[in-house]
Amino acid sequence: MSVPQGLVSGPWGYLGLLTPKKMFHLQNASNVSENEERVWCTLEKEGEGRESSKAVQSGIVMDLARALGFEPGDRAEFCNQVKLFKGDPFRSHSVPERRVLMSLERILSNWSVEPVPVSPNWDFEIVEDAAAPVFAFKSFLCPLTKEVMRDPVVVLESSQAYERTAIEYWFERCIQDGRDPTCPVTGRVLKSLELKPNIGLAGAIEEWVGRVVEYQIKSAVQYLSEDPLSVDHVERALDHVFKVSEEHPTRRYIIRNAGVVQLIVTVLSNNSKTIGSHLRSKALMTLLSLAEDEESRKIMLERGTTRLAIHSLIGNSEKEREHAIKLLLEFCNDEDCCVRIASEKGALVLLSSIAGNMEYPSLSNLAEEVLRQMERVEDNVQCLAAAGRFGPLISRLHDGSVGVKIEMASLVGRMTLTNSCKEQIARQGARVFVELLSNQEGSGPSLQALYNLSGLDGNATILIESSVLPSLIEVLFDEKDPSYELKSLAASTIANIVSKPGHWELASADKKGNPMQSEIVVLRLLGLLNSLPSQCQVIVLRILCGITSSPQASELVASHITSKGGFGSVIPFLEHPEVEHRVFAFKLTRLISEWFSQYIANELRLSNKLTVLKEKLLNNQSTSDERSDAAQILANFSLSEGEIQTLLGGDFVEWTAVTLKNQRRISNARSSYTASGMQEGLIGLLLHFTRNLDQQTLNIVRENRLMGIFCEQLDYTSKAKVKQLAAIGLKHLSEFGRSVTARDSKPPSSSGFCSFFVLMCGKASSQPSMCPIHNCLCDEDSQLCLLKSNCIKPLVDILHDNDTDVQLAAVDALSTLLLDYTSCSFKRVVDELEHLGAIDSLITLFTEVRSEELQEKTIWMIEKILRVDNVSDRYALNHSLVRALVESFKHGNTNTRKHAQDALTLLKQLSGVSGKTSSQTRARR
C-alpha cells in the first residue's frame, strides 16, 4: 500500500499516525501532513469519551483511510489494518494516547463489520422482478450511515450525495472540534456548507421503497394466512409490518387496506397459545404502531383487540405486558374506548394490580397512566370504584353538585365493598353523607351508603366523629315521616355502630346532647317496640342489646329499662314467632339479669313466663343462642328451694350433667361464644343445688356426682367465668361437708357407721381410713370432700390463673379446709396441702397479688397454715414472704394488718403480746 510521507511503514504505521508529536522528534515537523494532524485532533476528542453517531464514525474512517493511503471502501484492507493494530507490541502506554487507541479500535471494529449486501435495513432478498437492479441500489445508500437515504441532499462543492441529517451532523462535529468542515468522501475542505435536495435520487428511492413495501405487505399477508401457521413465518411477517409502519408511517393505509390488521388480530385471538409470549409481544407491538392510524384503530376495537390486550396483562413476559398496557393507553385517547376497556371483565382489577406492583416500576407507571386516563370519563366511576379506585367517586362526592353527590351516595349504597374500601370511603366521605341526610332526595341514598359503611366495626369511630348519630336518631324518632324503610336503614346503621363498645358512649345521640345510654333515648327506643312493624322491631332490639352490652353503659341502661317498667315491652318477644326477634330478646334479658336478676325474675313470675326459660333450654329445636341465654338467665336468678325443686328438679340436674359433658366435647373441638355461654349457664344452674342442701338435694348431688362435674370445669380449656362458678360450687359442697362433720364428730365404731355420716359418706369400707379434713370416714361417693374427690390439686392449679375472680373463688374453696384450725387433725390438713403444692402456690400468689380482697383472703390462709410449728420454721427464712407480710402490715386494711402481724409473729419476725400470742394460737401437735 502507499504510505504518506512522514509515516512509518509496516504494522507500526498506525503508531506513527496516532503520535505525530512523537514523530516530530524522529523526523522533521514538515513531514506531518495537515490531514494527519486533523485526524489526530479528531481522535483526541473521541478519546475523551464523547459519544459519536454512525455518521461521524464513518467520516473519521474516511479521513483515516485517506491518511493511510487506501480507499475507504476497501474493507479487506481495513480488517487487515485492524488486526495489525490490535497486535502492535509498541502501543503507547500513556493515559491520553491509550484513550485515543481505544477509541480508534472501537471505531475500526464497528466499521470492519461487513454490511448486508443489498440493504442494511431490510430483512429480505430482492426478487428478480424488482424495480431497480442491485447496482442501482448502492447509490441509494448514504456514505455515512450505510442506509437507504430518505432525504438525499448534494454538497454543492463536491457533488457528493448524503442523507441530510447525517451530513449536517458531520458538519456540526467538525465545527465543535475547531476545524474546517470537510466532505467525508473526498476529504476536501468546504468553503460553503450549502446543501441542495437531490430530487431525482429521492424520487428513485421513493419508487424503489414503494415496490419493496408492497412486496413486504404481500409477503406478510401470505405468511399470516397460512394454515397451519409457521411460527418463523409469523415472526418474519410481524417484523416486516412493524418496520414498514415505523419507517414509513404514511404507508400505513397500505397495510390496513391489505387486511393485515385483521390477520394479526385473528392470529392473536385463535393462536395465542401456539405462538407463545414472545410472538404475542411482537403482535401487540405491531398493533400499537398501526394504532397511530385512526381507521386501523377502529378495526382493532371492532375485532375485540382490547380483550386480547387485557388477556396479555397476565402474560409470561414483561415485554408482552408492557406492549399490552401501551396499546390500552393508546386506545384511552378516545372516551368511548375508555368505557369499553372499563367494561371488559377483569381489566381494571388487573391494571390496578400492576399499578400497585413496584417490582416493575415501568409497568406500574404505564398502568397508572391508563387508569388516570380512564378516571376522566364519568361513565367509568362505578367500574373504577368496584376495582378499588375511589378517587373519581370521592372527588365527585366532594366537588360535584348536589345531584352528583346523591348519585355517588346511591352508588356507594349499592356496592359490595371490602373492609379496606369501606374504611377509605368512610374516612373521605362520611361527612358528606351525613350532610345529605338533611336533603329530602338525598336522605335515602345517604342512609343506604352509611349503612353499608357501618358494616365495618372499625368505621364506628369515623362515623361517630362525623356526628352521624344525631341525624340517624332524628330519622328513627321522626313521627311525621311514616317511611319505615328509612327508619329501618337508620336503625340498622345505629345497631351496627353500637354493636361494639368503646367509641359511642361519650358521643351525643341527639341534638340536645343526650348519649345513647341516657334515659330519654332508652325509653324512646322501648316505645318503638310497640309502634314499629316487625322488621323494624328486631333492629330496635339489636340496638338495645348493643348499648346494654357496653361495660361503660350496661348498668345504666339496665337501670333505665327496669326503673320505668320497660322490660314489659321485651317479654312478649321471648315467644315471638320469628327466630331473630327471640334471639335478641333473650340476649337483652340476659344482659339485664346480670344487674337486676331479682327484678327480671319477679317480672317473669308475674307474667307466668318463668317456665318459658326452662322450656326453651330443653327444646332441642331452639337456636343455640336462645338456649345459652336461657341457661344464663336462670343461673342469674335467686330461686327459692321450692322453685329449685319444681322448676328444675332431679331430672333437670341429670339433663344438665349430660349436656355439660356434650358441651365440653363440642367446646374442645370448636370453641365459640355461644358454647362457652351455654357452659357457663349450665354450671350456674347446678349452683342452685349447692346453696341449700337438704336430704333430697343431697341425694341429687350424689347421684349426679356434682363435685366431680365442678372439678372437670377447672381445666385450662374452660373460660374464666366457668372456672369461677365451678370453684364456687366446690366451696358450697365443701362447706356443707364441714357443717355435717361439726354435727357429728364422734369417731366411727368398728361395727358400722350409723350417724348422718353414713348417709353423707356412703357405705363404710372394710378398712376404714380417716379423712384428715373431716376427721371421719370419707370416700368419693360422698361428693362433699375436696380431698377424696381429688379437687384440691385442680383448685391449686387455678391459683395461677390470670383472672382475679377465678383466683378469689379458688382461695375461697381452699379456705374451707382450714376453718377448723383448732382441731387435732389440723396438722394433717396442712401436711396434705403442702404435699399437693398448695402452700407454695398460696405464698407465690400472696407475694404477687395486687387485689386488696384477694390479698386479705390469701393472708388469712397463710396465717392459719403458719400455726403449725414445722411449717412456720421452714418458711421463717422465706424472704419474699417476709417482705410481702411486712408490706401488708404497713399498708393493708385492718384485717390484713392483723393477719400480717400474727403471721410475722409466728415466723418469729415480731414479738407476741406478753410472749404468749405465738404459743396460745398454735394448733395442737
Side-chain angles (χ1 to χ4, degrees), residues 437-474:
L437 288 175
S438 60
N439 183 288
Q440 186 174 1
E441 295 181 357
S443 58
S446 59
L447 277 172
Q448 188 66 55
L450 288 168
Y451 169 68
N452 200 354
L453 298 179
S454 68
L456 176 64
D457 292 339
N459 277 348
T461 302
I462 299 172
L463 296 177
I464 290 296
E465 292 174 352
S466 301
S467 303
V468 70
L469 279 179
S471 299
L472 294 175
I473 288 292
E474 185 177 6

Side-chain angles (χ1 to χ4, degrees), residues 1-7 13-14 17-18 33-40 60-72 78:
M1 76 179 176
S2 176
V3 182
Q5 185 180 10
L7 294 181
Y14 273 118
L17 171 65
L18 295 177
S33 69
E34 181 181 349
N35 186 41
E36 293 170 353
E37 183 69 29
R38 184 170 64 245
V39 173
W40 170 253
I60 294 172
V61 169
M62 291 179 186
D63 277 348
L64 186 59
R66 279 188 294 273
L68 293 173
F70 58 84
E71 290 297 323
F78 256 119

Side-chain angles (χ1 to χ4, degrees), residues 40 91 397 424 523 555 565 714 826:
W40 170 253
R91 290 186 187 179
L397 189 62
Q424 181 182 351
L523 294 181
E555 184 178 8
L714 298 180
F826 184 71

